[in-house]
Amino acid sequence: MTQCRDTRGIDKIYHIILGGFVCVVVGVLVAHFLPITPIGIAVVALSSVVVAAVAWEFYRKNKTNGNHICIWDILWTTAGGFAMVWLPWLNAYLLAVGH
């Protein structure tokens, strides 16, 4: 297995945006449909980002010849989730206060 040296570039910006998007969409949807605490929503949202990032890397590795699983892509996607996790947390908090 080769070592991934692709640590930065425009591709990583896309990974950050995608991670934030997945985090917000999953977190807000789960907050509206399941009665979970705000911290629980944050955990679910971040877990979904990690699962999506790893699944995408495995999909790309198997779909494209010569491609590899890039840990940097997974880390940048997860960083995007961490940057945006406050939105699902705030949504869950406001929903809990409203009841």
Side-chain angles (χ1 to χ4, degrees):
M1 186 164 151
T2 62
Q3 183 178 2
C4 181
R5 298 183 197 280
D6 185 21
T7 59
R8 58 185 113 158
I10 192 70
D11 172 56
K12 303 312 178 233
I13 302 297
Y14 297 142
H15 281 280
I16 291 171
I17 293 169
L18 180 65
F21 179 77
V22 169
C23 182
V24 169
V25 169
V26 170
V28 168
L29 287 175
V30 170
H32 279 281
F33 292 111
L34 296 176
I36 303 176
T37 65
I39 295 297
I41 293 297
V43 169
V44 168
L46 288 173
S47 299
S48 70
V49 170
V50 172
V51 168
V54 171
W56 177 253
E57 287 300 311
F58 273 100
Y59 170 77
R60 253 183 27 174
K61 177 186 180 289
N62 293 331
K63 196 72 169 168
T64 309
N65 288 339
N67 207 348
H68 64 281
I69 296 172
C70 182
I71 190 69
W72 294 106
D73 287 350
I74 294 170
L75 291 175
W76 283 109
T77 306
T78 305
F82 271 103
M84 296 303 291
V85 75
W86 64 274
L87 278 173
W89 180 90
L90 181 63
N91 185 13
Y93 177 78
L94 293 174
L95 285 171
V97 169
H99 289 182

